[in-house]
Amino acid sequence: MKIDFDGKTVIVTGAAHGFGRTIAHGFASRGAAVHICDVNEAGLKETVAFCDAKAQAHLLDVGDRTAVQRTVAVIEANAGAIDILVNNAGGVRGQVGRPIEEISEMDWQTIFDVNLSGAFFMTQAVAPSMKRRKFGRIINISSGAGLGISLTGIQAYTSAKAGQIGLTRQLAHELGPWNITVNNVAPGFVRSNPSTERQWEAMGAEGQAKLLQNIALKRLGLPEDIAAMVMFFASDHAGWVSGQVISVDGGK
């Protein structure tokens, strides 16, 4: 199966490290014009270098609807159209699991802003041009936490990821008449960024062994495993696939 994206324009959010960086590289290495977004300017520069300068960086907080509309308009003005959107921005914003009574309104909202509202705002911004062209591929990156419980113990994270899965299914039906597919990748635990490294270390040897034992393939995955599913969803091979949530987790 040969997958390439020659002539396609792609936006990848949360691209300063981890999944986003690897996904951006996957598209760039297959001929796409890649636009990467994140709040981490230094990380964006590293991702551009990782993509052999075949990506353009945009400093963006996806939870800011006005900034999202402005950034997408700039990309569209330069590129002409956006073919593929990968809503990868997310995470726990430095939080750790705590009892529900200790969670402030800001603790709750900041995680929803990046994990759920950001995916909605980005899709809202690209939808009009995709509708006009009757073509689009939207891929949301959720988490196994959205299908069950979160290893982090963070209530807002599992709730936001579950909401993103629901948004995926809803938008697949809304946008389908315009030949726009919307799909979702739900990764298992992957050591892909500073947060997951801290989580891995906090498990200790016993916790790490237990995690691996619960995975059918008895090993952790790599960011490349997540990127591979994104490449499929974005490709012509998935032209009749929409509203799907695929767990890429080694088997549970």
Side-chain angles (χ1 to χ4, degrees):
M1 182 182 293
K2 185 178 186 297
I3 294 177
D4 65 63
F5 298 101
D6 291 336
K8 301 295 187 185
T9 298
V10 183
I11 296 178
V12 181
T13 68
H17 54 61
F19 297 156
R21 177 174 291 175
T22 304
I23 291 166
H25 181 267
F27 282 116
S29 66
R30 290 170 173 81
V34 183
H35 294 263
I36 57 174
C37 305
D38 207 294
V39 294
N40 181 344
E41 187 172 12
L44 283 174
K45 291 178 180 178
E46 292 174 1
T47 299
V48 169
F50 185 65
C51 294
D52 298 323
K54 295 177 181 177
Q56 291 183 245
H58 305 267
L59 198 62
L60 175 65
D61 178 355
V62 297
D64 181 340
R65 183 180 183 275
T66 300
V68 165
Q69 292 280 338
R70 182 171 58 245
T71 299
V72 169
V74 168
I75 295 172
E76 287 182 342
N78 292 330
I82 295 164
D83 301 288
I84 300 161
L85 167 65
V86 182
N87 287 311
N88 171 71
V92 299
R93 291 290 178 93
Q95 296 186 40
V96 296
R98 289 171 292 150
I100 189 171
E101 59 268 27
E102 296 180 14
I103 308 303
S104 70
E105 181 180 357
M106 182 174 292
D107 291 335
W108 176 266
Q109 191 59 52
T110 191
I111 289 180
F112 265 78
D113 286 346
V114 66
N115 288 282
L116 181 54
S117 296
F120 178 81
F121 293 152
M122 289 297 301
T123 303
Q124 186 179 50
V126 304
S129 66
M130 287 184 174
K131 283 183 174 182
R132 285 193 297 271
R133 297 174 60 243
K134 289 186 168 53
F135 179 85
R137 298 281 189 270
I138 297 168
I139 301 100
N140 297 321
I141 309 299
S142 61
S143 168
L147 294 167
I149 61 171
S150 174
L151 294 175
T152 67
I154 298 172
Q155 305 89 345
Y157 183 73
T158 191
S159 300
K161 290 303 189 184
Q164 193 197 76
I165 289 169
L167 180 66
T168 298
R169 292 172 172 146
Q170 187 67 37
L171 291 178
H173 282 268
E174 178 179 341
L175 300 177
W178 287 272
N179 192 35
I180 300 168
T181 65
V182 188
N183 289 292
N184 196 295
V185 180
F189 184 81
V190 178
R191 296 169 63 185
S192 60
N193 57 48
S195 293
T196 52
E197 283 299 318
R198 287 192 295 270
Q199 193 177 348
W200 176 253
E201 292 301 321
M203 291 178 191
E206 184 177 345
Q208 292 168 4
K210 182 178 180 181
L211 176 65
L212 291 171
Q213 186 59 36
N214 288 332
I215 297 173
L217 291 175
K218 308 305 179 192
R219 64 173 178 84
L220 296 181
L222 299 170
E224 288 79 6
D225 295 312
I226 310 307
M229 183 54 67
V230 173
M231 297 301 114
F232 171 71
F233 275 146
S235 75
D236 291 339
H237 299 288
W240 206 48
V241 179
S242 196
Q244 299 306 303
V245 182
I246 301 295
S247 296
V248 182
D249 58 9
K252 290 294 183 68

